[in-house]
Amino acid sequence: MVKTLRRLGFDIVSGCQLKCIGCPNSAINTGISFISLTDFATCLKNFDVAAISLLRLFNFGEPLLHPNLIELVLEIPKQTWWREYSRLEISTNGQYQNFSKITDLFKTGELDILVVSCDGNGTKEDYERLRPPAKWDVLMNFLSTGRRLRDEYAPNLKLRTRIIGRTKTGRERWNQILTPNDWEPSYRRYLYLPGVKQVKPAVTNKACHFIKDAFSGATFYVNSDGYAVPCCAHPTAHILGDLKRDKYNAILMSEVYKEFAQQLTIERTEHPICGDCIL
């Protein structure tokens, strides 16, 4: 039985207003849908653990689009597993410009980390090429306005960015843009995720580390339907349980989860989605 969960990824929105290169969402999801407040509250209560250290309200969806985002956020501190050291994180593409709503989010005092995706080499052309139909000027406005609202309403909120692109010149450009505005940049390589046109098949049949992490209480993922899913590499690679009905530990110890873990241990390449994953 897992007693504490280090990181929970909960996708409260399915879909996004962008069609980013390399994102499975672009090819799989044709629309945008939201988890209801009632279902979200039920899922949270079904986490039968003593504590969750980090709750991320995103995976592949754009969480700021949720029409009841503030109400969802206010459900979190009601949970028995929410502790003084627990942290709430939201990641956005920076193209949502309802700053009244973002101000209300900051005013809740519950958000600890706001992350913005800023892919490319730090130029308008490369950013808009990788994240259509995103606009560079909209991103720049989000970064500057978000920082101003943070300073006014949530001074302890950490502002971070995740950038796909690791060239030296690209990092230098981004650093010149982000650091003066108090956005902390981080960089990662491009990943060939399953479900996209650019995918490359897995080169080995090694066991999936996400399954190992789940059984140890390191990570767990839920999609916007309230279903337990394997990882953050694909929106719904497999349905492993229903948090709207079952407790977290019951799902984790279920035969469905164990059989899936066994498949990814001994015959991963046979799975239609996980067999094409390089992670």
Side-chain angles (χ1 to χ4, degrees):
M1 179 176 180
V2 172
K3 296 182 179 180
T4 60
L5 180 55
R6 190 173 70 193
R7 184 174 67 202
L8 169 61
F10 200 131
D11 218 351
I12 59 174
V13 175
S14 175
C16 176
Q17 75 274 51
L18 303 186
K19 298 292 182 182
C20 300
I21 293 176
C23 177
N25 236 4
S26 300
I28 297 169
N29 291 326
T30 57
I32 297 175
S33 61
F34 317 98
I35 191 168
S36 71
L37 178 59
T38 299
D39 286 347
F40 182 70
T42 300
C43 290
L44 294 186
K45 290 178 182 177
N46 277 333
F47 278 92
D48 52 342
V49 294
I52 296 178
S53 299
L54 176 63
L55 172 55
R56 289 175 161 177
L57 294 186
F58 63 93
N59 193 10
F60 283 104
E62 171 51 59
L64 295 185
L65 295 178
H66 200 293
N68 303 113
L69 176 61
I70 309 305
E71 291 84 353
L72 264 63
V73 167
L74 292 177
E75 281 294 319
I76 297 167
K78 299 178 184 178
Q79 309 308 312
T80 58
W81 43 258
W82 195 245
R83 295 287 182 262
E84 183 179 352
Y85 59 81
S86 299
R87 296 292 177 263
L88 175 64
E89 178 180 340
I90 285 179
S91 180
T92 175
N93 54 42
Q95 294 293 304
Y96 184 76
Q97 298 288 287
N98 187 338
F99 289 113
S100 175
K101 182 178 179 180
I102 293 170
T103 297
D104 290 341
L105 173 63
F106 289 179
K107 285 182 175 179
T108 66
E110 301 299 335
L111 184 63
D112 298 287
I113 306 166
L114 178 65
V115 181
V116 176
S117 298
C118 305
D119 300 344
N121 62 12
T123 65
K124 176 181 185 297
E125 292 74 20
D126 202 41
Y127 172 80
E128 293 183 353
R129 176 183 67 84
L130 291 170
R131 304 180 69 84
K135 299 301 180 184
W136 176 262
D137 292 344
V138 174
L139 173 67
M140 294 298 106
N141 184 55
F142 187 96
L143 294 173
S144 59
T145 306
R147 188 267 176 90
R148 177 178 59 80
L149 295 176
R150 188 284 307 266
D151 291 348
E152 184 172 357
Y153 298 108
N156 294 323
L157 175 65
K158 297 184 183 300
L159 302 176
R160 296 175 178 170
T161 61
R162 293 192 181 99
I163 303 167
I164 299 176
R166 300 175 66 177
T167 66
K168 181 179 179 180
T169 55
R171 290 197 303 268
E172 290 173 349
R173 291 192 192 101
W174 278 120
N175 289 344
Q176 290 173 2
I177 294 168
L178 298 169
T179 304
N181 282 305
D182 205 25
W183 289 87
E184 177 186 341
S186 64
Y187 301 90
R188 70 170 177 84
R189 64 186 176 91
Y190 184 89
L191 298 175
Y192 292 92
L193 301 178
V196 298
K197 294 180 180 179
Q198 298 87 2
V199 71
K200 292 182 178 179
V203 295
T204 70
N205 193 26
K206 291 183 179 179
C208 176
H209 75 85
F210 284 108
I211 296 300
K212 179 181 178 181
D213 289 347
F215 285 125
S216 69
T219 59
F220 197 80
Y221 297 92
V222 184
N223 69 12
S224 63
D225 291 317
Y227 295 133
V229 294
C231 63
C232 60
H234 188 278
T236 313
H238 206 91
I239 299 296
L240 299 169
D242 188 351
L243 264 298
K244 301 187 298 297
R245 181 190 64 202
D246 301 319
K247 297 292 186 181
Y248 157 71
N249 271 290
I251 292 174
L252 194 61
M253 301 304 164
S254 68
E255 289 302 314
V256 172
Y257 220 116
K258 291 177 181 177
E259 290 174 3
F260 178 72
Q262 183 179 28
Q263 178 181 7
L264 264 63
T265 300
I266 62 176
E267 50 183 16
R268 174 180 166 184
T269 54
E270 298 302 313
H271 192 280
I273 295 174
C274 301
D276 284 334
C277 183
I278 67 170
L279 298 178

